[in-house]
Amino acid sequence: MLTVETRHAIHPSHARDMWTEELREHFLAQGMFREGEIRLVYTHYDRFVMGGAVPGSGRLTLDVVEETKTPSFLDRREMGIVNIGEPGTVEAGGETYEMGRGDVLYLGMGSGAVSFSGAGRFYITSCPAHKAYPSKLVTLADCKEVTMGAPETSNKRTIKQFIHPQVMESCQLILGYTSLEEGSVWNTIPSHIHDRRMEAYLYWGMDEESRVLHLMGEPDETRHLFVANEEGVVSPSWSIHSGAGIGKYTFIWAMAGDNVDYTDMDFIQPKDLR
């Protein structure tokens, strides 16, 4: 079963006047992981798509998505898949990929139908592509790790880069995830924006009762969302993205836009936030 929800782009001046439920309706992605279903959120931010596939005891295939008006979803797109569950299998382009928890699969433009099976919980990201790059499975052993922050500022974290220029080539999709160390809560300090790229987040590895306070909005007009495990956030290019969580958590970040320069960002110091 395939379900697609469309999210239209929101101007920052509109977001200033939104109340809580409006903010959650436009920027928070819930219910993406349901057994026996593929559930996608199609956004008008750089035509980025995020979603989930949970095959359970069956097999799920992602092929035709009416919103793209192409014969197959990946005809003019690339895709990044993260397995946030138990071991599972993805088949695409005549290849079979066995994915453990935390592994990332990149599928290049023109890979055709994508099938999911096994006990995996597959987080799907996708954006338009203008060039076909080779598909590649990047395991935890293959990623590039960067450690940042410090315990005294409550933001010691490890960034794992998978679909990233220092690991492999892609068209415009960049993806990795960040894990907070025990006792650290702040995930991105100082905060930043990158006007040339949108970004999307999936928070996972959290207890059922835990929440992350995700900060968003313009630097001088910040807003917030309380986010639960396996919920996502759509982050426009004009919005900051920082957060603080209760207990241990990880967030997957994925970006699409004008370039693949991970360091292309404009920092906003805490003293300048409002």
Side-chain angles (χ1 to χ4, degrees), residues 158-172:
T158 299
I159 300 170
K160 293 182 171 65
Q161 300 166 341
F162 290 85
I163 305 174
H164 187 281
Q166 296 192 40
V167 179
M168 55 161 290
E169 284 189 299
S170 64
C171 188
Q172 65 163 324

Side-chain angles (χ1 to χ4, degrees), residues 154-202:
S154 301
N155 69 337
K156 189 172 183 182
R157 59 202 189 274
T158 299
I159 300 170
K160 293 182 171 65
Q161 300 166 341
F162 290 85
I163 305 174
H164 187 281
Q166 296 192 40
V167 179
M168 55 161 290
E169 284 189 299
S170 64
C171 188
Q172 65 163 324
L173 181 65
I174 307 175
L175 181 146
Y177 51 82
T178 301
S179 298
L180 278 293
E181 294 204 4
E182 208 67 58
S184 286
V185 297
W186 285 100
N187 60 44
T188 309
I189 292 293
S191 187
H192 61 267
I193 59 175
H194 28 72
D195 194 51
R196 293 144 296 277
R197 296 193 308 275
M198 65 80 63
E199 192 161 2
Y201 296 87
L202 181 80

